[in-house]
Amino acid sequence: MSHDINNNNSSNGSGAIVLKKQRTGEIVATTPEKSKAIMISSTIPRTSNLQAPIMLLTGHKAEVYSVRFSPSGKHIASGSFDKQIFLWNTYGECENYMVLKGHASAVLEVQWSTDESLIFSASADKSVAVWDLSAGQRVKKFTGHSSFVNSCCPTRRGQQLVVSGSDDGSVKLWDIRMKRCVNSFDTKYPITSVCFSDASDQIFSGGLDSEIKVWDLRKNDVLYKLEGHEDIVTGIRLSPDGSYLLSNAMDNTVRIWDVKPFVVGNRNIKIFHGAQHNFEKTLLRCSWAPDGTRISAGSADRFVYVWDTATRQILYALPGHKGSVNDVDFHPLEPILASCSNDKTIYLGEIKP
């Protein structure tokens, strides 16, 4: 969709570097703090309602580990080593309209509730927090893990449950109506990433043993394991239709697994190459496009990779970040990709529909 670029872009404090159209017709990038202009392009075809084809969000004071669009796509949440969760507007000048404070250490992952009323966060302070956005404050703090909580994930629908995974080797289940853990699964190795199945009757967990375990909540035991990665699994994500699981690992592969019931044989159906891990050993995450036709993953080589799921070809290797790309997320409605990095910034970029 074509979108005019206003001539009066400005921002105070945390905000975005935006593209501005000059009288000559040239489009330049400007930073509100330094008024620095950099030539980008004179003819950029538009594919979304972003104010500019590329938006650079600045304000975090340390590495940004997690970024997520809200279900409506109107807002963005980001979690950082600076212990804070920033909430941004996706459109306009991408203003940072709220900061959630309360964690005592790095925020390692953030998630939205389906109705956008709550934010869930996992932190290195050994806790999982629930934040009420109407009040702008924390309403629950779940403690019980004995080490860093690397990941959390709420159910997609129905039950008000949150799952968390920690360096203490446990996967814990929390009911946001209660104050204590309602179930716990213990393993021998640190857990790096967790998520629910579509029906919320299973939990997927990845960790330092290179396996992805599938926990059956009815039997309280491992239903089966997804084996194939040769190094630490750093991120997992369920597909929009709930049929497939995406994983990123330190063996420098991104994989798709068939997690439908009653699958016979190898569930690892596709392997993607390109995204890199390095000595930093960062928990690099991954993401699905809303229609499942594309995937993306963070990479230590400072690029954002996007693949076609059918052909396994790299569609994009997007530059811009000056540090490891820790997390990526597709907009739920428009061809926009968000990425966050150790360089303390978040990029929003248009891609082809």
Side-chain angles (χ1 to χ4, degrees), residues 187 189-190 205-213 229 231-233:
T187 73
Y189 301 94
S205 68
L208 264 68
D209 59 359
S210 308
E211 294 179 345
I212 299 172
K213 294 179 176 62
H229 279 302
D231 208 336
I232 299 169
V233 177

Side-chain angles (χ1 to χ4, degrees), residues 34-191:
K34 299 181 180 179
S35 297
K36 180 181 177 182
I38 305 171
M39 179 66 65
I40 301 295
S41 174
S42 59
T43 55
I44 300 177
R46 302 306 309 281
T47 64
S48 80
N49 286 301
L50 284 180
Q51 183 166 318
I54 300 171
M55 304 292 287
L56 177 57
L57 283 58
T58 60
H60 277 296
K61 299 178 181 178
E63 296 93 329
V64 187
Y65 291 137
S66 184
V67 63
R68 290 288 186 275
F69 284 107
S70 66
S72 70
K74 296 179 180 179
H75 308 284
I76 302 162
S78 58
S80 168
F81 186 77
D82 64 15
K83 310 175 188 178
Q84 300 178 115
I85 300 168
F86 278 27
L87 300 181
W88 315 79
N89 289 319
T90 302
Y91 301 109
E93 294 182 7
C94 300
E95 296 92 348
N96 167 219
Y97 65 89
M98 187 182 296
V99 178
L100 303 175
K101 300 179 180 181
H103 278 300
S105 191
V107 179
L108 302 178
E109 190 164 50
V110 292
Q111 302 280 3
W112 290 84
S113 64
T114 53
D115 64 359
E116 301 188 16
S117 65
L118 302 173
I119 291 283
F120 305 91
S121 57
S123 173
D125 66 8
K126 308 177 187 179
S127 75
V128 177
V130 183
W131 308 82
D132 186 325
L133 297 188
S134 62
Q137 62 184 12
R138 186 176 63 195
V139 292
K140 293 282 184 179
K141 180 182 178 181
F142 296 126
T143 57
H145 285 294
S146 59
S147 188
F148 296 172
V149 182
N150 295 312
S151 181
C152 67
C153 182
T155 52
R156 288 185 171 183
R157 59 183 69 85
Q159 298 169 298
Q160 296 176 302
L161 299 175
V162 185
V163 62
S164 59
S166 167
D167 272 1
D168 64 14
S170 70
V171 176
K172 293 187 182 296
L173 190 63
W174 312 87
D175 188 324
I176 65 173
R177 297 163 296 187
M178 305 172 67
K179 293 184 178 181
R180 56 184 173 79
C181 173
V182 297
N183 209 341
S184 183
F185 306 98
D186 296 322
T187 73
K188 296 180 181 179
Y189 301 94
I191 303 298

Side-chain angles (χ1 to χ4, degrees), residues 64-65 67 248 276-277 280 282-285 296-305 318-328 338-343 347:
V64 187
Y65 291 137
V67 63
N248 190 0
Q276 301 294 310
H277 292 251
E280 292 177 305
T282 310
L283 298 182
L284 307 182
R285 312 298 191 179
S296 182
S299 178
D301 64 3
R302 305 179 181 182
F303 286 85
V304 177
Y305 287 90
L318 302 172
H321 282 296
K322 298 178 181 179
S324 176
V325 179
N326 297 319
D327 197 7
V328 289
S339 60
C340 65
S341 169
N342 280 352
D343 64 11
Y347 268 109

Side-chain angles (χ1 to χ4, degrees), residues 5-9 18-22 26-30:
I5 301 176
N6 298 326
N7 291 324
N8 298 315
N9 296 324
V18 301
L19 299 187
K20 299 173 72 175
K21 182 177 286 184
Q22 306 300 298
E26 297 171 339
I27 299 177
V28 300
T30 67

Side-chain angles (χ1 to χ4, degrees), residues 12 25 31 33 36 44 84 215 333:
N12 296 316
T31 65
E33 294 82 6
K36 180 181 177 182
I44 300 177
Q84 300 178 115
W215 303 87
L333 301 173

